Amino acid sequence: MKTFRVIGLMSGTSLDGLDVADVTFNLDGSNQWVFKLNNSTLYSFDSKILSLLKNGFNLPAQELVELSSNLGRFYATKVNEFLVEFNLKSTQFDFIASHGQTIFHQPNKGFTLQIGNGPELAVNSNMPTVVDFRTKDVALGGNGAPLIPVADHLLFSNYADTFLNLGGFSNFSFKKDGKVLSYDICPVNIIVNELMRNVGKEYDEGGDYGKQGQINQNLFQQLNSLAYFNEKGPKSLGWEWVEEHVFPLLNEEISTQDKIRTLYEHIAYQIGVALNNVNSNSTLVTGGGAKNHFLIERIQYYSKGKIVVPHEDLIDFKEAIGFAFLGLLKWQNQINVWSSVTGSRRDSSSGVVHFP
């Protein structure tokens, strides 16, 4: 089995930029995939593209198609800069795997759209590309998400037996009866960051601000009483749910610091319940929330198993590594989306390959 070297690209809903990861993959003696992150960096969007991406779902069709092409060229430009920065050549790589930028995601209506034109990326980087990982699963009746659990359990299983991503929402994946399952536990940074803007900050670094607040028991009980927390998975959360169910509870006359402290306790409690329900022995935590040391302390307090926070490179680039791996599975025509996770009619090998 040959070694594969892949560039993984990830740009998420936070719009903080484009994650670029240079990853080597091969199979070890027991036929398990192993990886090495060789180089990685984050490139900011230029102001024009950023402004258009923020308003992408309101753009007329023609302008959205134009933005997709421009974004594909932007990705290629950044890949080429990456090669120069780390003294690499395109011939050292097998292909690029790009998640693209999500503009629409309504699987209940049968569609999803991640822009970032694949042919533009392939031609302007002079490398094959694998793109469009979600559409096929939606066509099969699935949610087209989450996709990273495949990488969790095939690539990162030496770190832990369950996996928690602390981003805008907390997403959890685990094995039950030989199948991988996944669901959203609760909102995290999407609310905390919104509250931090009240005090002139974009986020609560290390959890230091919220840590100094007091838990409001009434708010704590109200948050934990929301019906979602009694629903069985698979289930997922979105901004609309937060606006409808959480923000009204935060209108009480409580200081911002106490609201955030109470949210931390609520988040940690709900995550602890989820981990303990599946008897997790160890949980790998990634995503921006993994750097919130106080929140991690509170999650560990409620969790019977061990909470594992990896090296910062893995926290920051796990999704880019994950999509590089999903691209590799597609490149080999192997299954890279599991119906047990997305709710589709069957497993699939998803993604579209473009050659320069």
Side-chain angles (χ1 to χ4, degrees):
M1 175 64 66
K2 70 166 281 192
T3 294
F4 293 89
R5 192 166 180 181
V6 183
I7 291 179
L9 304 182
M10 178 68 202
S11 51
T13 50
S14 65
L15 294 174
D16 59 345
L18 177 68
D19 291 328
V20 184
D22 160 14
V23 196
T24 300
F25 299 98
N26 52 56
L27 288 165
D28 66 13
S30 56
N31 221 32
Q32 296 293 311
W33 285 106
V34 292
F35 76 95
K36 179 174 182 281
L37 179 62
N38 304 306
N39 303 288
S40 55
T41 197
L42 169 68
Y43 291 111
S44 298
F45 290 114
D46 67 49
S47 57
K48 184 179 180 183
I49 283 182
L50 181 60
S51 174
L52 289 167
L53 288 176
K54 283 180 176 176
N55 192 44
F57 51 86
N58 290 321
L59 291 177
Q62 184 173 326
E63 290 181 29
L64 184 58
V65 172
E66 182 181 5
L67 175 59
S68 182
S69 291
N70 288 339
L71 187 61
R73 284 191 290 274
F74 172 83
Y75 287 167
T77 298
K78 294 305 168 187
V79 167
N80 292 334
E81 284 182 24
F82 183 84
L83 297 179
V84 172
E85 183 177 342
F86 293 100
N87 196 26
L88 301 165
K89 293 185 173 66
S90 61
T91 51
Q92 293 175 260
F93 295 89
D94 292 278
F95 57 89
I96 299 167
S98 174
H99 171 268
Q101 188 69 47
T102 299
I103 301 296
F104 301 115
H105 185 68
Q106 297 189 40
N108 56 315
K109 294 182 180 177
F111 67 87
T112 185
L113 177 67
Q114 287 72 44
I115 66 170
N117 188 292
E120 288 284 358
L121 174 54
V123 168
N124 288 288
S125 65
N126 198 34
M127 281 189 256
T129 67
V130 186
V131 297
D132 195 14
F133 288 95
R134 300 187 187 275
T135 306
K136 186 174 181 179
D137 184 74
V138 171
L140 286 166
N143 282 300
L147 300 185
I148 290 298
V150 171
D152 285 341
H153 293 272
L154 295 183
L155 206 57
F156 303 116
S157 59
N158 58 319
Y159 286 90
D161 61 352
T162 61
F163 302 88
L164 179 69
N165 187 72
L166 296 178
F169 300 91
S170 53
N171 180 268
F172 178 45
S173 75
F174 57 96
K175 267 188 180 171
K176 185 177 180 182
D177 301 326
K179 283 189 173 179
V180 172
L181 304 175
S182 181
Y183 65 92
D184 287 341
I185 299 174
C186 61
V188 184
N189 297 337
I190 199 168
I191 307 179
V192 174
N193 293 355
E194 191 73 18
L195 289 172
M196 286 301 295
R197 290 182 191 114
N198 295 338
V199 294
K201 300 278 179 68
E202 286 299 310
Y203 62 97
D204 185 9
E205 187 168 357
D208 290 344
Y209 179 80
K211 178 181 182 177
Q212 298 168 54
Q214 300 295 316
I215 298 170
N216 181 286
Q217 289 298 332
N218 184 49
L219 176 58
F220 182 63
Q221 297 300 333
Q222 285 184 303
L223 287 166
N224 289 327
S225 298
L226 290 170
Y228 178 85
F229 300 118
N230 292 318
E231 294 173 14
K232 298 238 183 276
K235 56 184 180 176
S236 61
L237 291 165
W239 174 254
E240 297 87 348
W241 184 89
V242 174
E243 281 193 311
E244 183 179 349
H245 297 284
V246 179
F247 283 135
L249 300 180
L250 297 175
N251 284 332
E252 289 193 43
E253 291 299 314
I254 306 168
S255 73
T256 295
Q257 199 161 42
D258 288 353
K259 286 176 184 175
I260 293 174
R261 176 66 185 89
T262 306
L263 276 167
Y264 284 157
E265 203 68 14
H266 159 69
I267 291 163
Y269 173 78
Q270 290 298 336
I271 288 173
V273 168
L275 300 184
N276 296 338
N277 277 347
V278 300
N279 298 313
S280 172
N281 293 313
S282 56
T283 304
L284 180 69
V285 185
T286 53
K291 297 179 183 180
N292 187 319
H293 310 302
F294 179 66
L295 180 58
I296 295 297
E297 280 176 27
R298 299 312 298 155
I299 293 171
Q300 183 64 80
Y301 173 81
Y302 285 107
S303 305
K304 293 174 184 173
K306 184 181 180 185
I307 300 300
V308 179
V309 178
H311 188 274
E312 194 162 324
D313 279 351
L314 189 53
I315 294 175
D316 291 339
F317 294 98
K318 178 167 172 273
E319 285 193 297
I321 296 166
F323 277 100
F325 181 64
L326 293 179
L328 172 57
L329 295 177
K330 174 61 186 178
W331 190 255
Q332 297 189 299
N333 287 316
Q334 295 182 19
I335 297 297
N336 64 358
V337 180
W338 290 331
S339 60
S340 63
V341 173
T342 66
S344 58
R345 291 189 291 276
R346 60 174 171 82
D347 295 345
S348 64
S349 182
S350 290
V352 178
V353 180
H354 297 283
F355 290 92

